[in-house]
Amino acid sequence: MQSRALEILVGLFVCLGVAAVFVLTFRVASLDSVGSGDGVYRVTASFENIGGLKPGSAVTLAGVKVGRVKSISIDPVSFNATVLLEMSNQYSTIPEDSNAKILTAGLLGEQYVGLEPGGAEESLREGSQIKLTQSALVLENLIGQFLSAQTEKKDDGLAQAIQSLADSLKPPAASAPAAP
Amino acid sequence: MNALTQVVGGFLAGLGRAQFFLVQLLFALPVSLLRPRLVIQQLYMVGALSLIIIVISGSFVGMVLALQAYHALVRFGAEDSLGVLNALVIVRELGPVVTALLFAGRAGSSLAAELGLMRATDQLSAMEMMAVDPVQRVAAPRFLAAVIAMPLLAAIFAVMAIGVAGGHAIGVELLGVDAGSYWGQIRASVVLEDIRNSLIKSTVFGVAVAWIAVYQGFHAAPTSEGVSRATTSTVVMSSLAILALDFILTAFMFG
Amino acid sequence: MSTDQPKTVPEPISDALVRARALRFAHGPRTIYDGVDIDIPRGKVTAIMGPSGTGKTTLLRLIGGQWRPAAGSVTFDGTDVHRLRRAELYSLRKRMGMLFQNGALLTDLSVFENVAFPLREHTRLPESMIRDLVLMKLQAVGLRGARDLYPEQLSGGMSRRVALARAIALDPAMVMYDEPFTGQDPISMGVLMRLIRSLNDALGLTSIVVSHDVEEVLSIADYAYVIAQGKVQVQGSPAEVREAASPWVQQFLRGEADGPVAFHYRAPPLHEDLLARGERA
């Protein structure tokens, strides 16, 4: 029994409200986007092999997400992969000589870049390049190394090789991974 | 162009009218609670009479889910996780959603048809002229009964699907999954939060279906096409609302 | 259709239970009432007549406060119906009874429970007293023996009589009848006519009967209005109305096929139509 104009107005209000809920839902579903609040600064790192790293993969320090992979390209000179990282301005004191490794979340999870802080006084800034990097582990190479280690040392070579394989597949929060 | 503005205007006006109606319903709820017999009678019509379809559907959904999941899991040697998969999928998603869709089809359409027919035969007008508020006497008890019935039916659906006839029957009896691991894993992985979220979902769906069904029936055009249009609109709009709400709720709960 | 004004100005009704003044109401693009004055005399049977769709039922809904006029006022026993708040309007409605065209009985209740409905909703009378009242109302309409039947088991005429019993359950001051004679066989019609008249006199009611069954309603009415095209065409006692000067009213009252309301829908002359078809073929 309300006037039609009032009904249309309320209906419009409801439509806007529902649209707002949908927008909010999409933001929640895509999780927190890094840098949406404070802004970002960009940093590059060069890897021989990026494994399964993708744009949008996380960049972590001590297990905390501090940025994400913006883009990946090939350096035409060295034929290494140049990864562009977007770091949140919240974390602007990461030492310049930090180490960047490509790690796997869990056993079969997706890959991400894990940073280990160095000791330099200078911090990473817009345009900095991370010099110390460790590429992704490729399963075939590991098996190849394991088999060749087998043929070299008989005694605890097997145990050592299995140990290093197990260690390198663990997430970095555990012990420091041994070099393969 | 004029036709388009008419359609859009009509749609928005309908939304607005539904809002006003919801406010009327909410204000009428306390009064309905003072006459529990009306609500209980409607609870029987809307809830108890929907039991058969919910129980049977729950069994079938649980059985199919168990069959499909078993064949997927056995490839990884993970068939002992059947219970977990079944329980989580049913409790988090299929339970509330499928129950709500069935509820909309069975109880929602019957509510809309009944109210639409009362509108078409002037019974609601007659009540108004007898100084009885039809929203209080007729609409609010039905709304309340539907809102109460939905979570209960969803719970019964989940029980049937996971246990009794569904997953348990197929998984344990037919496919040889160990009963202990079936139920033990469920106990370990279905947490209170899942149950709480499931109840929230089914209650929200219940409110949506109840509101749409009662509104459509109450405001149906007083002709036979009006009643039939109200009934089909109820089922269609309820189904869409359930799926949209499911997306929103899932994103917030599990995103 | 011509709209002659009545030749004599009717004397104002001194004691009117319902007064509508300058009533204007539109339903979408159609104007239903265009500044209409209607008085319903107290204690009498008043007929409202007119062709289908003129808004006779609308008048009842305006009096009962279900619909709001665009302009003008409707007062019931001195109270402006549309200025009341909801609770007060509901209070006022307890003094009105309404008989809908198809009875509008509540289908999930028995005949007894239907008549008891207003008593149970609005009074705190004990069940024994309610039972007595219901039986007396049913006795008045001749259906006391049918009290345990359900509406689906009743014929159309019986439904209306039960609805009438329900309408007088609270002993209202006024009863409104919406097309009570439509579609009834002669016996049912006779029963209803007798009931309307006798209840009006026995209970001191004011009755408004909306109908286009001219002979039936004029035979029991004390006063009559003929409404068409949003205006009152003629008003007065049945005798005065029958002698109305307007040709349209005469065609309406006598049920003549042709007159101011033409038999033929507007069309070009017949020979033109026939010739045109011949040529195109």
Side-chain angles (χ1 to χ4, degrees):
Chain A
M1 278 236 293
Q2 317 292 334
S3 76
R4 186 168 167 92
L6 189 60
E7 286 176 356
I8 293 186
L9 207 61
V10 173
L12 192 64
F13 176 71
V14 170
C15 266
L16 291 176
V18 170
V21 170
F22 267 101
V23 167
L24 195 62
T25 307
F26 276 108
R27 302 212 85 202
V28 168
S30 68
L31 295 173
D32 45 332
S33 46
V34 162
S36 53
D38 302 316
V40 294
Y41 62 96
R42 294 183 181 188
V43 156
T44 55
S46 186
F47 295 90
E48 281 182 3
N49 193 319
I50 55 153
L53 201 68
K54 305 190 291 286
S57 298
V59 179
T60 68
L61 183 75
V64 175
K65 184 171 177 182
V66 299
R68 65 186 188 107
V69 174
K70 177 72 178 168
S71 61
I72 302 174
S73 55
I74 292 196
D75 185 324
V77 174
S78 63
F79 294 113
N80 280 345
T82 305
V83 179
L84 183 65
L85 305 173
E86 262 184 359
M87 312 290 292
S88 168
N89 275 334
Q90 260 189 301
Y91 306 102
S92 52
T93 54
I94 302 173
E96 213 186 21
D97 63 344
S98 299
N99 196 334
K101 294 183 184 177
I102 298 184
L103 303 162
T104 310
L107 195 61
L108 299 166
E110 53 181 38
Q111 300 203 301
Y112 63 97
V113 177
L115 298 176
E116 275 173 10
E121 296 212 342
E122 303 261 313
S123 303
L124 289 175
R125 302 188 298 279
E126 173 78 29
S128 302
Q129 189 187 22
I130 300 178
K131 306 260 182 345
L132 301 166
T133 63
Q134 179 176 302
S135 299
L137 295 170
V138 179
L139 197 57
E140 291 81 356
N141 295 348
L142 281 175
I143 292 177
Q145 287 172 0
F146 167 65
L147 288 176
S148 59
Q150 262 288 65
T151 57
E152 279 169 18
K153 283 190 262 182
K154 283 273 163 70
D155 315 295
D156 38 351
L158 178 64
Q160 267 185 18
I162 292 179
Q163 184 60 43
S164 52
L165 176 67
D167 283 348
S168 59
L169 287 173
K170 264 192 243 161
S175 52
Chain B
M1 191 59 210
N2 201 12
L4 184 65
T5 45
Q6 287 269 33
V7 169
V8 172
F11 172 72
L12 290 177
L15 265 185
R17 227 175 306 138
Q19 298 303 306
F20 285 115
F21 187 65
L22 182 66
V23 171
Q24 271 185 291
L25 277 176
L26 292 176
F27 272 107
L29 279 183
V31 178
S32 307
L33 287 171
L34 290 177
R35 305 188 59 167
R37 192 171 306 160
L38 289 177
V39 179
I40 292 176
Q41 188 185 27
Q42 287 311 310
L43 204 51
Y44 170 75
M45 304 286 290
V46 148
L49 292 183
S50 306
L51 261 182
I52 294 190
I53 187 177
I54 295 296
V55 162
I56 296 181
S57 308
S59 310
F60 277 122
V61 169
M63 291 197 274
V64 167
L65 189 59
L67 272 177
Q68 291 278 23
Y70 181 83
H71 290 293
L73 289 172
V74 83
R75 252 186 285 154
F76 295 98
E79 66 266 20
D80 281 344
S81 302
L82 184 63
V84 180
L85 185 65
N86 219 333
L88 284 180
V89 169
I90 295 285
V91 166
R92 288 182 180 175
E93 275 308 315
L94 287 189
V97 174
V98 173
T99 307
L101 290 173
L102 292 169
F103 187 74
R106 196 243 154 248
S109 67
S110 101
L111 276 180
E114 191 192 357
L115 285 174
L117 203 58
M118 288 179 92
R119 166 69 63 195
T121 52
D122 276 331
Q123 288 180 48
L124 298 177
S125 270
M127 269 193 229
E128 275 184 21
M129 286 310 295
M130 284 192 279
V132 173
D133 183 4
V135 174
Q136 277 182 8
R137 186 92 181 17
V138 169
R142 284 166 171 77
F143 176 81
L144 192 58
V147 171
I148 294 176
M150 244 308 296
L152 299 176
L153 289 172
I156 294 175
F157 182 96
V159 166
M160 293 307 296
I162 301 172
V164 190
H168 179 99
I170 293 293
V172 175
E173 308 301 335
L174 203 61
L175 298 169
V177 174
D178 178 46
S181 57
Y182 186 86
W183 289 104
Q185 296 226 345
I186 292 179
R187 260 198 75 194
S189 42
V190 176
V191 294
L192 200 60
E193 205 185 31
D194 290 318
I195 309 277
R196 184 202 69 193
N197 285 338
S198 182
L199 275 177
I200 293 177
K201 272 196 186 179
S202 45
T203 308
V204 169
F205 296 156
V207 170
V209 174
W211 178 14
I212 293 174
V214 173
Y215 169 76
Q216 288 289 334
F218 202 84
H219 292 85
T223 59
S224 48
E225 311 97 60
V227 175
S228 102
R229 220 179 314 139
T231 316
T232 45
S233 293
T234 297
V235 178
V236 169
M237 296 213 301
S238 297
S239 307
L240 294 176
I242 290 165
L243 295 173
L245 284 169
D246 185 47
F247 168 68
I248 294 174
L249 287 172
T250 305
F252 276 98
M253 287 174 182
F254 301 105
Chain C
M1 206 160 58
S2 64
T3 54
D4 285 3
Q5 300 302 315
K7 286 277 159 68
T8 52
V9 179
E11 19 192 293
I13 297 168
S14 47
D15 189 11
L17 185 60
V18 176
R19 279 188 208 281
R21 286 279 172 272
L23 199 60
R24 185 124 33 111
F25 185 81
H27 191 64
R30 262 183 54 219
T31 309
I32 304 207
Y33 287 113
D34 194 10
V36 153
D37 294 342
I38 293 181
D39 289 330
I40 308 289
R42 194 185 294 260
K44 307 246 185 278
V45 176
T46 305
I48 311 276
M49 297 184 289
S52 308
T54 34
K56 310 190 292 293
T57 309
T58 309
L59 181 64
L60 297 184
R61 293 197 195 263
L62 286 168
I63 295 176
Q66 281 188 311
W67 287 350
R68 268 199 141 67
S73 69
V74 177
T75 55
F76 176 83
D77 207 11
T79 318
D80 186 330
V81 168
H82 301 285
R83 271 199 222 288
L84 295 174
R85 282 201 319 268
R86 233 165 121 263
E88 295 163 342
L89 178 62
Y90 271 56
S91 249
L92 193 68
R93 284 187 181 153
K94 291 182 209 168
R95 301 176 55 201
M96 306 178 191
M98 180 136 166
L99 179 60
F100 286 82
Q101 201 164 331
N102 39 24
L105 297 177
L106 301 175
T107 44
D108 48 338
L109 302 178
S110 71
V111 163
F112 181 93
E113 286 160 357
N114 260 288
V115 181
F117 183 79
L119 292 168
R120 290 201 180 124
E121 292 288 320
H122 294 303
T123 67
R124 296 218 187 296
L125 296 173
E127 265 309 298
S128 54
M129 199 177 290
I130 290 185
R131 185 173 175 278
D132 292 341
L133 282 170
V134 169
L135 290 179
M136 287 199 292
K137 305 295 177 188
L138 284 174
Q139 173 77 357
V141 302
L143 285 177
R144 186 167 49 92
R147 63 179 175 269
D148 292 321
L149 295 179
Y150 275 79
E152 60 205 13
Q153 299 167 282
L154 301 173
S155 72
M158 290 167 74
S159 290
R160 285 178 201 194
R161 284 152 71 187
V162 174
L164 178 49
R166 183 179 69 178
I168 56 171
L170 292 177
D171 289 319
M174 175 175 84
V175 180
M176 298 186 273
Y177 300 84
D178 190 0
E179 310 254 10
F181 309 124
T182 308
Q184 295 299 292
D185 64 77
I187 298 180
S188 296
M189 223 182 304
V191 167
L192 278 167
M193 281 163 57
R194 187 187 111 166
L195 279 175
I196 294 176
R197 186 74 242 182
S198 57
L199 283 175
N200 189 81
D201 298 332
L203 301 176
L205 298 173
T206 302
S207 307
I208 308 179
V209 183
V210 160
S211 180
H212 47 62
D213 292 300
V214 172
E215 289 310 313
E216 283 76 16
V217 76
L218 280 184
S219 69
I220 55 170
D222 299 312
Y223 203 80
Y225 285 84
V226 178
I227 300 181
Q229 288 213 319
K231 294 214 186 293
V232 173
Q233 300 299 318
V234 69
Q235 60 179 38
S237 73
E240 287 168 357
V241 163
R242 279 190 216 274
E243 283 162 26
S246 152
W248 179 83
V249 175
Q250 289 302 326
Q251 183 192 3
F252 176 76
L253 292 175
R254 293 204 212 115
E256 287 165 2
D258 207 0
V261 180
F263 175 71
H264 286 288
Y265 196 77
R266 241 203 332 249
L270 180 61
H271 65 272
E272 274 184 31
D273 239 346
L274 291 175
L275 283 178
R277 223 174 339 137
E279 277 167 12
R280 252 181 267 126

